[in-house]
């Protein structure tokens, strides 16, 4: 059945957001002192709250726990270059996660290795796996723009799919957040 409009406009807007997209930032820098301003920049550009994880392993652990969730919105991952290989490998086989990945390669060391990552992404695409990695970018500003583009498209698709009416998921897909004090 089609979703029913209910609640305040803010609740309906949250329903469309939860139905359409989740933003996940996987990078140890997400827990540094200056990360609050970066996170606010990401939240503002996407209009969505950003979930943060320090490592690919912690992110994958939580995704495994959510394997049976009824709601499966697009998950847009902003991932550091160091976390990209294990997370992209996992996502390429995780049929319970609809994912798009933006890889942030903002150091000289990882920029020199980004050609290797581009080759890996090309190999994944040639094997028939949907291309998960949408962009490899060199600055946080470029990453924010790429994530915002993906979330805007996902939210527009959700609104179109549900006729502009939001719905609230029975089993909310809360992809959690690492504890800032954990390692």
């Amino acid at each position: 059945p089609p979703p029913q409009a209910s609640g305040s406009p803010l609740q309906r807007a949250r329903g469309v957001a939860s139905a359409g997209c989740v933003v996940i930032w996987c990078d140890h820098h997400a827990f540094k002192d200056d990360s609050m301003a970066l996170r606010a920049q990401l939240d503002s550009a996407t209009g969505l709250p950003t979930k943060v994880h320090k490592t690919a392993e912690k992110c994958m652990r939580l995704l495994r726990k959510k394997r049976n969730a009824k709601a499966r919105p697009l998950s847009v991952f902003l991932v550091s270059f160091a976390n990209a290989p294990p997370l992209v490998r996992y996502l390429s086989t995780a049929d319970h996660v609809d994912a798009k990945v933006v890889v942030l390669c903002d150091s000289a060391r990882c920029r020199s290795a980004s050609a290797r990552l581009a080759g890996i992404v090309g190999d994944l695409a040639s094997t028939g796996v949907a291309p998960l990695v949408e962009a490899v970018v060199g600055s946080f500003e470029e990453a924010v723009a790429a994530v915002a583009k993906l979330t805007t498209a996902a939210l527009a698709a959700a609104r179109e799919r549900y006729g502009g009416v939001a719905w609230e998921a029975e089993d909310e897909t809360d992809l959690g957040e690492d504890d800032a004090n954990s390692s």
Side-chain angles (χ1 to χ4, degrees):
Q4 300 297 315
S6 64
S8 72
L10 181 57
Q11 288 170 322
R12 289 193 302 273
R14 284 183 181 146
V16 168
S18 68
C21 195
V22 176
V23 177
I24 303 164
W25 183 15
C26 181
D27 186 347
H28 74 278
H29 287 109
F31 293 94
K32 300 287 184 187
D33 290 338
D34 64 346
S35 70
M36 291 305 290
L38 297 175
R39 186 172 176 182
Q41 185 181 355
L42 194 55
D43 290 351
S44 176
T46 63
L48 299 168
T50 303
K51 306 293 183 183
V52 294
H53 297 281
K54 195 176 284 191
T55 65
E57 291 73 26
K58 289 184 179 209
C59 188
M60 292 182 300
R61 184 178 336 142
L62 193 56
L63 290 168
R64 285 185 196 106
K65 286 181 183 179
K66 295 295 181 179
R67 184 181 319 254
N68 296 321
K70 292 177 185 173
R72 294 187 180 169
L74 175 67
S75 296
V76 177
F77 292 86
L78 172 54
V79 185
S80 66
F81 185 78
N83 284 307
L87 187 57
V88 169
R89 248 189 318 276
Y90 172 77
L91 292 171
S92 70
T93 62
D95 60 356
H96 66 286
V97 182
D98 183 13
K100 296 292 181 186
V101 178
V102 174
V103 178
L104 177 57
C105 188
D106 61 351
S107 72
R109 186 172 143 235
C110 82
R111 279 192 207 105
S112 66
S114 65
R116 185 174 41 124
L117 178 63
I120 293 168
V121 170
D123 290 344
L124 280 175
S126 69
T127 62
V129 175
L132 296 171
V133 178
E134 290 287 323
V136 177
V137 297
S139 71
F140 193 79
E141 290 73 22
E142 290 174 296
V144 168
V147 169
K149 181 179 176 183
L150 292 169
T151 59
T152 298
L155 293 173
R159 285 185 191 98
E160 184 176 312
R161 180 176 180 190
Y162 297 106
V165 179
W167 62 274
E168 293 292 332
E170 270 180 44
D171 179 10
E172 188 168 323
T173 307
D174 178 13
L175 291 178
E177 212 166 285
D178 285 347
D179 183 332
N181 296 324
S182 67
S183 54

